[in-house]
């Protein structure tokens, strides 16, 4: 499945492959506009970064898909629509 619910929490996550810096900047804009928090996690969840953190994003390897984790249905919907 493309979108999963986190272990009984309100968080929803979507595995997302970012192909360009423009796509990363777009998730930052979505995160800044959302009322809910938006995080990016490494595939193994060892690294968790606030999507609004420019510096924090340097810790992730974007050559692999990352998990976008949020309670925001709007953010998940926007990501799903972009890749459709």
């Amino acid at each position: 499945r493309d979108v999963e619910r986190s272990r009984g929490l309100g968080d929803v996550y979507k595995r997302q492959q970012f192909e360009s810096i423009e796509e990363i900047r777009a998730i930052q804009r979505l995160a800044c506009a959302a009322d809910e928090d938006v995080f990016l996690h490494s595939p193994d969840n060892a690294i968790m970064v606030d999507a609004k953190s420019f510096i924090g994003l340097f810790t992730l390897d974007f050559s692999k898909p990352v998990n976008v984790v949020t309670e925001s249905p709007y953010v998940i919907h926007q990501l799903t629509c972009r890749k459709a």
Side-chain angles (χ1 to χ4, degrees):
R1 289 172 63 182
D2 197 30
V3 176
E4 299 286 336
R5 202 160 272 290
S6 276
R7 306 177 194 96
L9 302 173
D11 290 347
V12 175
Y13 70 91
K14 180 180 187 319
R15 188 157 295 220
Q16 181 79 31
Q17 178 70 50
F18 291 94
E19 303 291 337
S20 67
I21 190 68
E22 289 80 18
E23 290 181 359
I24 296 168
R25 289 175 56 194
I27 189 65
Q28 283 186 302
R29 284 191 297 274
L30 280 172
C32 289
D35 291 332
E36 301 86 357
D37 291 328
V38 180
F39 295 95
L40 302 179
H41 293 200
S42 61
D44 63 357
N45 292 321
I47 301 171
M48 299 177 218
V49 178
D50 185 336
K52 298 173 191 170
S53 170
F54 180 77
I55 300 295
L57 294 178
F58 286 107
T59 61
L60 289 169
D61 178 1
F62 285 101
S63 68
K64 301 174 185 148
V66 298
N67 295 324
V68 178
V69 181
T70 184
E71 290 183 357
S72 173
Y74 174 76
V75 170
I76 295 298
H77 175 75
Q78 289 299 311
L79 291 173
T80 303
C81 288
R82 285 185 183 167
K83 291 297 179 179

